[in-house]
Amino acid sequence: MDPVTEEVEKVKKEFKDVRKQTLDHIHSIQEYGKQSVIGVGVVENTDSLPRLNSLAQDGLKLMQSHQFNLDILAPQLPFPDDVETAQSLAENWKNEIESLRRRLRNANFQAKENVTKTAQKERELLLGGGKESTARRRDLQTKAGMTSAAESITESLRRTRQLMAQEVERTATTLMTIDESTAVLGKTEGEYKGLRSLLARTRNYLSTLQREGVLDRVILVVGFLAFSLAVLYVVSKRLGALKMQRKMLDIIKAGMAGRELVQPFGGRDGAVPVQDNAIPDINIPLEHMQDEL
């Protein structure tokens, strides 16, 4: 059977039981105040009128709650015919609850009338003489004390019941708050775990970046040193080539100046021969000089 259908059947059964109890309470209210004389004693209803009214009102409230639940469950039924039947039944329950409220009012009026008639009969009996009147007065005093004590106990129990109901509601609210707090704490814990893993990954990334930064600085320093050494090497080679070029130019200039020194002394032509070893002849390949440059 469908769960919604089971819940509807459960609501119907509970409504039927509550209706029977409420009808019994209304009937007891309607009969309240009547008495039957047995010998010289009088037997009255055991429940007081306020208690019967309280029980009847509670029954009507419970019936109204069941009617409200049926009205909510009706659209959730699986078949359209069941939905229509349940909605019609909920409407009938609503009308029946209103009818019971009217019956309860009429029962209270009848109870007051019964009490008035009973009081009038009691006065007639009390004003009478003889042993029957004396026994009646004694019996009324005893019953009055018992009724007062019963009403006091009933009122105390009613207050206790109200306090217990309030305490139950407060406990339910506290439990709901605790459940919500537990859910929030669980969600916070999950977020914290996610943040912790994220922080761990971020820490690893930062460590990797630091190592890469140190490696980049080492590479830059080594590259700069290599570049500086290369520059120094090129500059030193350039300076050596320039010095060699200047020396060669000086030697060439000196050789050219020595060949041009000729004096008119001795010989047929009056010239003095000049020795070849006056200026050293240095043969430097041109290719080597170009390489140095």
PDB file of all heavy atoms in Angstrom, residues 183-219:
ATOM      1  N   ALA A 183      24.251  20.332  12.096  1.00  0.00           N
ATOM      2  CA  ALA A 183      24.409  20.407  10.636  1.00  0.00           C
ATOM      3  C   ALA A 183      25.366  21.524  10.245  1.00  0.00           C
ATOM      4  O   ALA A 183      26.228  21.353   9.369  1.00  0.00           O
ATOM      5  CB  ALA A 183      23.038  20.625   9.974  1.00  0.00           C
ATOM      6  N   VAL A 184      25.220  22.692  10.910  1.00  0.00           N
ATOM      7  CA  VAL A 184      26.119  23.820  10.607  1.00  0.00           C
ATOM      8  C   VAL A 184      27.560  23.476  10.958  1.00  0.00           C
ATOM      9  O   VAL A 184      28.507  23.787  10.216  1.00  0.00           O
ATOM     10  CB  VAL A 184      25.648  25.084  11.364  1.00  0.00           C
ATOM     11  CG1 VAL A 184      26.674  26.198  11.224  1.00  0.00           C
ATOM     12  CG2 VAL A 184      24.306  25.546  10.823  1.00  0.00           C
ATOM     13  N   LEU A 185      27.750  22.800  12.114  1.00  0.00           N
ATOM     14  CA  LEU A 185      29.106  22.409  12.509  1.00  0.00           C
ATOM     15  C   LEU A 185      29.709  21.412  11.519  1.00  0.00           C
ATOM     16  O   LEU A 185      30.893  21.482  11.183  1.00  0.00           O
ATOM     17  CB  LEU A 185      29.080  21.811  13.919  1.00  0.00           C
ATOM     18  CG  LEU A 185      28.865  22.807  15.071  1.00  0.00           C
ATOM     19  CD1 LEU A 185      28.741  22.061  16.387  1.00  0.00           C
ATOM     20  CD2 LEU A 185      30.004  23.808  15.138  1.00  0.00           C
ATOM     21  N   GLY A 186      28.884  20.461  11.052  1.00  0.00           N
ATOM     22  CA  GLY A 186      29.375  19.507  10.062  1.00  0.00           C
ATOM     23  C   GLY A 186      29.787  20.201   8.767  1.00  0.00           C
ATOM     24  O   GLY A 186      30.830  19.894   8.186  1.00  0.00           O
ATOM     25  N   LYS A 187      28.955  21.167   8.349  1.00  0.00           N
ATOM     26  CA  LYS A 187      29.295  21.915   7.138  1.00  0.00           C
ATOM     27  C   LYS A 187      30.565  22.724   7.333  1.00  0.00           C
ATOM     28  O   LYS A 187      31.435  22.786   6.456  1.00  0.00           O
ATOM     29  CB  LYS A 187      28.123  22.825   6.777  1.00  0.00           C
ATOM     30  CG  LYS A 187      28.316  23.588   5.476  1.00  0.00           C
ATOM     31  CD  LYS A 187      27.106  24.436   5.166  1.00  0.00           C
ATOM     32  CE  LYS A 187      27.296  25.219   3.875  1.00  0.00           C
ATOM     33  NZ  LYS A 187      26.119  26.077   3.592  1.00  0.00           N
ATOM     34  N   THR A 188      30.693  23.347   8.521  1.00  0.00           N
ATOM     35  CA  THR A 188      31.895  24.131   8.808  1.00  0.00           C
ATOM     36  C   THR A 188      33.132  23.249   8.836  1.00  0.00           C
ATOM     37  O   THR A 188      34.209  23.631   8.354  1.00  0.00           O
ATOM     38  CB  THR A 188      31.725  24.846  10.160  1.00  0.00           C
ATOM     39  OG1 THR A 188      30.525  25.635  10.130  1.00  0.00           O
ATOM     40  CG2 THR A 188      32.907  25.762  10.442  1.00  0.00           C
ATOM     41  N   GLU A 189      32.979  22.040   9.410  1.00  0.00           N
ATOM     42  CA  GLU A 189      34.114  21.120   9.455  1.00  0.00           C
ATOM     43  C   GLU A 189      34.557  20.720   8.057  1.00  0.00           C
ATOM     44  O   GLU A 189      35.749  20.654   7.751  1.00  0.00           O
ATOM     45  CB  GLU A 189      33.731  19.876  10.255  1.00  0.00           C
ATOM     46  CG  GLU A 189      34.876  18.885  10.437  1.00  0.00           C
ATOM     47  CD  GLU A 189      34.451  17.665  11.236  1.00  0.00           C
ATOM     48  OE1 GLU A 189      33.262  17.580  11.584  1.00  0.00           O
ATOM     49  OE2 GLU A 189      35.314  16.814  11.504  1.00  0.00           O
ATOM     50  N   GLY A 190      33.579  20.455   7.168  1.00  0.00           N
ATOM     51  CA  GLY A 190      33.920  20.118   5.785  1.00  0.00           C
ATOM     52  C   GLY A 190      34.649  21.261   5.090  1.00  0.00           C
ATOM     53  O   GLY A 190      35.649  21.055   4.384  1.00  0.00           O
ATOM     54  N   GLU A 191      34.147  22.495   5.300  1.00  0.00           N
ATOM     55  CA  GLU A 191      34.817  23.644   4.700  1.00  0.00           C
ATOM     56  C   GLU A 191      36.219  23.827   5.265  1.00  0.00           C
ATOM     57  O   GLU A 191      37.160  24.180   4.544  1.00  0.00           O
ATOM     58  CB  GLU A 191      33.985  24.913   4.943  1.00  0.00           C
ATOM     59  CG  GLU A 191      32.651  24.907   4.199  1.00  0.00           C
ATOM     60  CD  GLU A 191      31.844  26.157   4.491  1.00  0.00           C
ATOM     61  OE1 GLU A 191      32.297  26.943   5.347  1.00  0.00           O
ATOM     62  OE2 GLU A 191      30.784  26.333   3.871  1.00  0.00           O
ATOM     63  N   TYR A 192      36.361  23.571   6.574  1.00  0.00           N
ATOM     64  CA  TYR A 192      37.684  23.713   7.187  1.00  0.00           C
ATOM     65  C   TYR A 192      38.660  22.695   6.613  1.00  0.00           C
ATOM     66  O   TYR A 192      39.832  23.006   6.351  1.00  0.00           O
ATOM     67  CB  TYR A 192      37.563  23.530   8.701  1.00  0.00           C
ATOM     68  CG  TYR A 192      38.900  23.503   9.421  1.00  0.00           C
ATOM     69  CD1 TYR A 192      39.642  24.666   9.593  1.00  0.00           C
ATOM     70  CD2 TYR A 192      39.414  22.303   9.916  1.00  0.00           C
ATOM     71  CE1 TYR A 192      40.866  24.643  10.240  1.00  0.00           C
ATOM     72  CE2 TYR A 192      40.639  22.271  10.558  1.00  0.00           C
ATOM     73  CZ  TYR A 192      41.361  23.440  10.728  1.00  0.00           C
ATOM     74  OH  TYR A 192      42.561  23.412  11.348  1.00  0.00           O
ATOM     75  N   LYS A 193      38.186  21.448   6.399  1.00  0.00           N
ATOM     76  CA  LYS A 193      39.058  20.443   5.806  1.00  0.00           C
ATOM     77  C   LYS A 193      39.465  20.845   4.397  1.00  0.00           C
ATOM     78  O   LYS A 193      40.624  20.677   3.993  1.00  0.00           O
ATOM     79  CB  LYS A 193      38.350  19.094   5.790  1.00  0.00           C
ATOM     80  CG  LYS A 193      38.203  18.459   7.173  1.00  0.00           C
ATOM     81  CD  LYS A 193      37.510  17.112   7.083  1.00  0.00           C
ATOM     82  CE  LYS A 193      37.378  16.465   8.467  1.00  0.00           C
ATOM     83  NZ  LYS A 193      36.661  15.164   8.400  1.00  0.00           N
ATOM     84  N   GLY A 194      38.498  21.390   3.635  1.00  0.00           N
ATOM     85  CA  GLY A 194      38.834  21.848   2.293  1.00  0.00           C
ATOM     86  C   GLY A 194      39.860  22.970   2.310  1.00  0.00           C
ATOM     87  O   GLY A 194      40.806  22.992   1.525  1.00  0.00           O
ATOM     88  N   LEU A 195      39.690  23.920   3.251  1.00  0.00           N
ATOM     89  CA  LEU A 195      40.649  25.022   3.366  1.00  0.00           C
ATOM     90  C   LEU A 195      42.017  24.512   3.811  1.00  0.00           C
ATOM     91  O   LEU A 195      43.055  25.024   3.360  1.00  0.00           O
ATOM     92  CB  LEU A 195      40.126  26.068   4.360  1.00  0.00           C
ATOM     93  CG  LEU A 195      38.916  26.882   3.899  1.00  0.00           C
ATOM     94  CD1 LEU A 195      38.444  27.787   5.028  1.00  0.00           C
ATOM     95  CD2 LEU A 195      39.264  27.721   2.675  1.00  0.00           C
ATOM     96  N   ARG A 196      42.029  23.505   4.702  1.00  0.00           N
ATOM     97  CA  ARG A 196      43.309  22.979   5.159  1.00  0.00           C
ATOM     98  C   ARG A 196      44.077  22.333   4.008  1.00  0.00           C
ATOM     99  O   ARG A 196      45.286  22.537   3.857  1.00  0.00           O
ATOM    100  CB  ARG A 196      43.073  21.971   6.278  1.00  0.00           C
ATOM    101  CG  ARG A 196      44.352  21.452   6.915  1.00  0.00           C
ATOM    102  CD  ARG A 196      44.048  20.698   8.182  1.00  0.00           C
ATOM    103  NE  ARG A 196      43.172  19.561   7.923  1.00  0.00           N
ATOM    104  CZ  ARG A 196      42.685  18.773   8.875  1.00  0.00           C
ATOM    105  NH1 ARG A 196      42.997  19.001  10.145  1.00  0.00           N
ATOM    106  NH2 ARG A 196      41.897  17.768   8.578  1.00  0.00           N
ATOM    107  N   SER A 197      43.378  21.541   3.174  1.00  0.00           N
ATOM    108  CA  SER A 197      44.052  20.948   2.018  1.00  0.00           C
ATOM    109  C   SER A 197      44.511  22.024   1.033  1.00  0.00           C
ATOM    110  O   SER A 197      45.601  21.936   0.458  1.00  0.00           O
ATOM    111  CB  SER A 197      43.112  19.969   1.321  1.00  0.00           C
ATOM    112  OG  SER A 197      41.949  20.630   0.865  1.00  0.00           O
ATOM    113  N   LEU A 198      43.663  23.075   0.876  1.00  0.00           N
ATOM    114  CA  LEU A 198      44.056  24.173  -0.014  1.00  0.00           C
ATOM    115  C   LEU A 198      45.297  24.887   0.508  1.00  0.00           C
ATOM    116  O   LEU A 198      46.205  25.241  -0.255  1.00  0.00           O
ATOM    117  CB  LEU A 198      42.887  25.153  -0.150  1.00  0.00           C
ATOM    118  CG  LEU A 198      43.118  26.365  -1.053  1.00  0.00           C
ATOM    119  CD1 LEU A 198      43.419  25.913  -2.481  1.00  0.00           C
ATOM    120  CD2 LEU A 198      41.905  27.279  -1.026  1.00  0.00           C
ATOM    121  N   LEU A 199      45.357  25.099   1.833  1.00  0.00           N
ATOM    122  CA  LEU A 199      46.540  25.743   2.415  1.00  0.00           C
ATOM    123  C   LEU A 199      47.783  24.871   2.247  1.00  0.00           C
ATOM    124  O   LEU A 199      48.882  25.383   2.009  1.00  0.00           O
ATOM    125  CB  LEU A 199      46.283  26.027   3.902  1.00  0.00           C
ATOM    126  CG  LEU A 199      45.285  27.141   4.213  1.00  0.00           C
ATOM    127  CD1 LEU A 199      45.032  27.218   5.706  1.00  0.00           C
ATOM    128  CD2 LEU A 199      45.815  28.487   3.724  1.00  0.00           C
ATOM    129  N   ALA A 200      47.626  23.551   2.378  1.00  0.00           N
ATOM    130  CA  ALA A 200      48.772  22.659   2.184  1.00  0.00           C
ATOM    131  C   ALA A 200      49.289  22.743   0.751  1.00  0.00           C
ATOM    132  O   ALA A 200      50.505  22.826   0.513  1.00  0.00           O
ATOM    133  CB  ALA A 200      48.374  21.229   2.538  1.00  0.00           C
ATOM    134  N   ARG A 201      48.371  22.740  -0.219  1.00  0.00           N
ATOM    135  CA  ARG A 201      48.800  22.862  -1.616  1.00  0.00           C
ATOM    136  C   ARG A 201      49.456  24.212  -1.881  1.00  0.00           C
ATOM    137  O   ARG A 201      50.469  24.304  -2.571  1.00  0.00           O
ATOM    138  CB  ARG A 201      47.601  22.670  -2.547  1.00  0.00           C
ATOM    139  CG  ARG A 201      47.069  21.248  -2.592  1.00  0.00           C
ATOM    140  CD  ARG A 201      46.155  21.032  -3.780  1.00  0.00           C
ATOM    141  NE  ARG A 201      44.997  21.896  -3.736  1.00  0.00           N
ATOM    142  CZ  ARG A 201      43.847  21.577  -3.163  1.00  0.00           C
ATOM    143  NH1 ARG A 201      43.712  20.393  -2.571  1.00  0.00           N
ATOM    144  NH2 ARG A 201      42.826  22.402  -3.176  1.00  0.00           N
ATOM    145  N   THR A 202      48.896  25.267  -1.281  1.00  0.00           N
ATOM    146  CA  THR A 202      49.484  26.598  -1.453  1.00  0.00           C
ATOM    147  C   THR A 202      50.881  26.650  -0.859  1.00  0.00           C
ATOM    148  O   THR A 202      51.801  27.251  -1.436  1.00  0.00           O
ATOM    149  CB  THR A 202      48.584  27.644  -0.776  1.00  0.00           C
ATOM    150  OG1 THR A 202      47.259  27.534  -1.291  1.00  0.00           O
ATOM    151  CG2 THR A 202      49.102  29.044  -1.040  1.00  0.00           C
ATOM    152  N   ARG A 203      51.061  25.994   0.324  1.00  0.00           N
ATOM    153  CA  ARG A 203      52.389  25.962   0.935  1.00  0.00           C
ATOM    154  C   ARG A 203      53.386  25.236   0.038  1.00  0.00           C
ATOM    155  O   ARG A 203      54.540  25.660  -0.117  1.00  0.00           O
ATOM    156  CB  ARG A 203      52.295  25.292   2.297  1.00  0.00           C
ATOM    157  CG  ARG A 203      53.558  25.436   3.129  1.00  0.00           C
ATOM    158  CD  ARG A 203      53.417  24.742   4.481  1.00  0.00           C
ATOM    159  NE  ARG A 203      52.350  25.353   5.271  1.00  0.00           N
ATOM    160  CZ  ARG A 203      51.199  24.764   5.542  1.00  0.00           C
ATOM    161  NH1 ARG A 203      50.953  23.536   5.108  1.00  0.00           N
ATOM    162  NH2 ARG A 203      50.289  25.373   6.272  1.00  0.00           N
ATOM    163  N   ASN A 204      52.955  24.140  -0.579  1.00  0.00           N
ATOM    164  CA  ASN A 204      53.838  23.416  -1.499  1.00  0.00           C
ATOM    165  C   ASN A 204      54.196  24.268  -2.720  1.00  0.00           C
ATOM    166  O   ASN A 204      55.350  24.284  -3.164  1.00  0.00           O
ATOM    167  CB  ASN A 204      53.173  22.115  -1.941  1.00  0.00           C
ATOM    168  CG  ASN A 204      53.005  21.129  -0.805  1.00  0.00           C
ATOM    169  OD1 ASN A 204      53.784  21.140   0.148  1.00  0.00           O
ATOM    170  ND2 ASN A 204      51.981  20.296  -0.869  1.00  0.00           N
ATOM    171  N   TYR A 205      53.184  24.977  -3.238  1.00  0.00           N
ATOM    172  CA  TYR A 205      53.453  25.853  -4.383  1.00  0.00           C
ATOM    173  C   TYR A 205      54.450  26.946  -4.018  1.00  0.00           C
ATOM    174  O   TYR A 205      55.348  27.281  -4.804  1.00  0.00           O
ATOM    175  CB  TYR A 205      52.153  26.481  -4.877  1.00  0.00           C
ATOM    176  CG  TYR A 205      51.191  25.498  -5.502  1.00  0.00           C
ATOM    177  CD1 TYR A 205      49.821  25.743  -5.523  1.00  0.00           C
ATOM    178  CD2 TYR A 205      51.655  24.314  -6.073  1.00  0.00           C
ATOM    179  CE1 TYR A 205      48.946  24.829  -6.076  1.00  0.00           C
ATOM    180  CE2 TYR A 205      50.778  23.401  -6.630  1.00  0.00           C
ATOM    181  CZ  TYR A 205      49.432  23.662  -6.634  1.00  0.00           C
ATOM    182  OH  TYR A 205      48.568  22.769  -7.196  1.00  0.00           O
ATOM    183  N   LEU A 206      54.290  27.527  -2.819  1.00  0.00           N
ATOM    184  CA  LEU A 206      55.219  28.583  -2.395  1.00  0.00           C
ATOM    185  C   LEU A 206      56.632  28.034  -2.236  1.00  0.00           C
ATOM    186  O   LEU A 206      57.613  28.703  -2.606  1.00  0.00           O
ATOM    187  CB  LEU A 206      54.728  29.191  -1.073  1.00  0.00           C
ATOM    188  CG  LEU A 206      53.469  30.058  -1.158  1.00  0.00           C
ATOM    189  CD1 LEU A 206      53.041  30.506   0.235  1.00  0.00           C
ATOM    190  CD2 LEU A 206      53.721  31.282  -2.033  1.00  0.00           C
ATOM    191  N   SER A 207      56.776  26.834  -1.678  1.00  0.00           N
ATOM    192  CA  SER A 207      58.101  26.225  -1.546  1.00  0.00           C
ATOM    193  C   SER A 207      58.729  25.995  -2.918  1.00  0.00           C
ATOM    194  O   SER A 207      59.918  26.271  -3.134  1.00  0.00           O
ATOM    195  CB  SER A 207      57.991  24.901  -0.788  1.00  0.00           C
ATOM    196  OG  SER A 207      57.448  25.089   0.497  1.00  0.00           O
ATOM    197  N   THR A 208      57.904  25.506  -3.866  1.00  0.00           N
ATOM    198  CA  THR A 208      58.422  25.298  -5.226  1.00  0.00           C
ATOM    199  C   THR A 208      58.850  26.616  -5.853  1.00  0.00           C
ATOM    200  O   THR A 208      59.911  26.701  -6.497  1.00  0.00           O
ATOM    201  CB  THR A 208      57.337  24.622  -6.087  1.00  0.00           C
ATOM    202  OG1 THR A 208      56.930  23.405  -5.468  1.00  0.00           O
ATOM    203  CG2 THR A 208      57.872  24.312  -7.473  1.00  0.00           C
ATOM    204  N   LEU A 209      58.048  27.657  -5.659  1.00  0.00           N
ATOM    205  CA  LEU A 209      58.398  28.973  -6.211  1.00  0.00           C
ATOM    206  C   LEU A 209      59.679  29.513  -5.585  1.00  0.00           C
ATOM    207  O   LEU A 209      60.503  30.133  -6.263  1.00  0.00           O
ATOM    208  CB  LEU A 209      57.237  29.947  -5.990  1.00  0.00           C
ATOM    209  CG  LEU A 209      55.980  29.699  -6.842  1.00  0.00           C
ATOM    210  CD1 LEU A 209      54.877  30.678  -6.443  1.00  0.00           C
ATOM    211  CD2 LEU A 209      56.291  29.866  -8.326  1.00  0.00           C
ATOM    212  N   GLN A 210      59.848  29.296  -4.280  1.00  0.00           N
ATOM    213  CA  GLN A 210      61.075  29.752  -3.630  1.00  0.00           C
ATOM    214  C   GLN A 210      62.291  29.028  -4.201  1.00  0.00           C
ATOM    215  O   GLN A 210      63.323  29.646  -4.471  1.00  0.00           O
ATOM    216  CB  GLN A 210      60.967  29.523  -2.129  1.00  0.00           C
ATOM    217  CG  GLN A 210      60.013  30.476  -1.421  1.00  0.00           C
ATOM    218  CD  GLN A 210      59.901  30.188   0.050  1.00  0.00           C
ATOM    219  OE1 GLN A 210      60.463  29.220   0.535  1.00  0.00           O
ATOM    220  NE2 GLN A 210      59.173  31.041   0.764  1.00  0.00           N
ATOM    221  N   ARG A 211      62.198  27.697  -4.370  1.00  0.00           N
ATOM    222  CA  ARG A 211      63.317  26.959  -4.950  1.00  0.00           C
ATOM    223  C   ARG A 211      63.611  27.437  -6.366  1.00  0.00           C
ATOM    224  O   ARG A 211      64.769  27.607  -6.755  1.00  0.00           O
ATOM    225  CB  ARG A 211      63.012  25.462  -4.938  1.00  0.00           C
ATOM    226  CG  ARG A 211      63.031  24.845  -3.548  1.00  0.00           C
ATOM    227  CD  ARG A 211      63.049  23.318  -3.632  1.00  0.00           C
ATOM    228  NE  ARG A 211      61.855  22.795  -4.259  1.00  0.00           N
ATOM    229  CZ  ARG A 211      60.748  22.445  -3.599  1.00  0.00           C
ATOM    230  NH1 ARG A 211      60.692  22.608  -2.280  1.00  0.00           N
ATOM    231  NH2 ARG A 211      59.700  21.961  -4.235  1.00  0.00           N
ATOM    232  N   GLU A 212      62.550  27.635  -7.143  1.00  0.00           N
ATOM    233  CA  GLU A 212      62.765  28.133  -8.500  1.00  0.00           C
ATOM    234  C   GLU A 212      63.369  29.529  -8.495  1.00  0.00           C
ATOM    235  O   GLU A 212      64.197  29.861  -9.358  1.00  0.00           O
ATOM    236  CB  GLU A 212      61.439  28.132  -9.255  1.00  0.00           C
ATOM    237  CG  GLU A 212      60.921  26.730  -9.559  1.00  0.00           C
ATOM    238  CD  GLU A 212      59.599  26.755 -10.302  1.00  0.00           C
ATOM    239  OE1 GLU A 212      59.057  27.882 -10.448  1.00  0.00           O
ATOM    240  OE2 GLU A 212      59.117  25.679 -10.704  1.00  0.00           O
ATOM    241  N   GLY A 213      62.961  30.370  -7.522  1.00  0.00           N
ATOM    242  CA  GLY A 213      63.549  31.705  -7.427  1.00  0.00           C
ATOM    243  C   GLY A 213      65.043  31.653  -7.125  1.00  0.00           C
ATOM    244  O   GLY A 213      65.839  32.384  -7.727  1.00  0.00           O
ATOM    245  N   VAL A 214      65.432  30.769  -6.183  1.00  0.00           N
ATOM    246  CA  VAL A 214      66.865  30.618  -5.874  1.00  0.00           C
ATOM    247  C   VAL A 214      67.622  30.120  -7.081  1.00  0.00           C
ATOM    248  O   VAL A 214      68.725  30.602  -7.416  1.00  0.00           O
ATOM    249  CB  VAL A 214      67.030  29.666  -4.672  1.00  0.00           C
ATOM    250  CG1 VAL A 214      68.502  29.355  -4.449  1.00  0.00           C
ATOM    251  CG2 VAL A 214      66.427  30.275  -3.412  1.00  0.00           C
ATOM    252  N   LEU A 215      67.040  29.122  -7.797  1.00  0.00           N
ATOM    253  CA  LEU A 215      67.700  28.592  -8.987  1.00  0.00           C
ATOM    254  C   LEU A 215      67.843  29.660 -10.067  1.00  0.00           C
ATOM    255  O   LEU A 215      68.891  29.764 -10.735  1.00  0.00           O
ATOM    256  CB  LEU A 215      66.906  27.402  -9.517  1.00  0.00           C
ATOM    257  CG  LEU A 215      67.486  26.663 -10.739  1.00  0.00           C
ATOM    258  CD1 LEU A 215      68.855  26.083 -10.410  1.00  0.00           C
ATOM    259  CD2 LEU A 215      66.540  25.564 -11.208  1.00  0.00           C
ATOM    260  N   ASP A 216      66.796  30.483 -10.236  1.00  0.00           N
ATOM    261  CA  ASP A 216      66.881  31.571 -11.222  1.00  0.00           C
ATOM    262  C   ASP A 216      67.973  32.563 -10.859  1.00  0.00           C
ATOM    263  O   ASP A 216      68.710  33.050 -11.739  1.00  0.00           O
ATOM    264  CB  ASP A 216      65.528  32.284 -11.311  1.00  0.00           C
ATOM    265  CG  ASP A 216      64.465  31.403 -11.957  1.00  0.00           C
ATOM    266  OD1 ASP A 216      64.849  30.420 -12.632  1.00  0.00           O
ATOM    267  OD2 ASP A 216      63.265  31.685 -11.757  1.00  0.00           O
ATOM    268  N   ARG A 217      68.106  32.890  -9.558  1.00  0.00           N
ATOM    269  CA  ARG A 217      69.156  33.824  -9.154  1.00  0.00           C
ATOM    270  C   ARG A 217      70.544  33.235  -9.414  1.00  0.00           C
ATOM    271  O   ARG A 217      71.457  33.934  -9.881  1.00  0.00           O
ATOM    272  CB  ARG A 217      68.992  34.178  -7.675  1.00  0.00           C
ATOM    273  CG  ARG A 217      67.850  35.142  -7.405  1.00  0.00           C
ATOM    274  CD  ARG A 217      67.951  35.746  -6.017  1.00  0.00           C
ATOM    275  NE  ARG A 217      67.705  34.744  -4.992  1.00  0.00           N
ATOM    276  CZ  ARG A 217      66.512  34.450  -4.500  1.00  0.00           C
ATOM    277  NH1 ARG A 217      65.448  35.077  -4.965  1.00  0.00           N
ATOM    278  NH2 ARG A 217      66.371  33.526  -3.567  1.00  0.00           N
ATOM    279  N   VAL A 218      70.716  31.936  -9.120  1.00  0.00           N
ATOM    280  CA  VAL A 218      72.007  31.293  -9.392  1.00  0.00           C
ATOM    281  C   VAL A 218      72.325  31.323 -10.880  1.00  0.00           C
ATOM    282  O   VAL A 218      73.455  31.619 -11.303  1.00  0.00           O
ATOM    283  CB  VAL A 218      71.998  29.846  -8.850  1.00  0.00           C
ATOM    284  CG1 VAL A 218      73.240  29.085  -9.301  1.00  0.00           C
ATOM    285  CG2 VAL A 218      71.925  29.856  -7.333  1.00  0.00           C
ATOM    286  N   ILE A 219      71.293  31.014 -11.698  1.00  0.00           N
ATOM    287  CA  ILE A 219      71.505  31.033 -13.154  1.00  0.00           C
ATOM    288  C   ILE A 219      71.870  32.433 -13.632  1.00  0.00           C
ATOM    289  O   ILE A 219      72.765  32.613 -14.477  1.00  0.00           O
ATOM    290  CB  ILE A 219      70.252  30.504 -13.873  1.00  0.00           C
ATOM    291  CG1 ILE A 219      70.068  29.009 -13.574  1.00  0.00           C
ATOM    292  CG2 ILE A 219      70.339  30.723 -15.370  1.00  0.00           C
ATOM    293  CD1 ILE A 219      68.767  28.434 -14.085  1.00  0.00           C
TER     294      ILE A 219
END
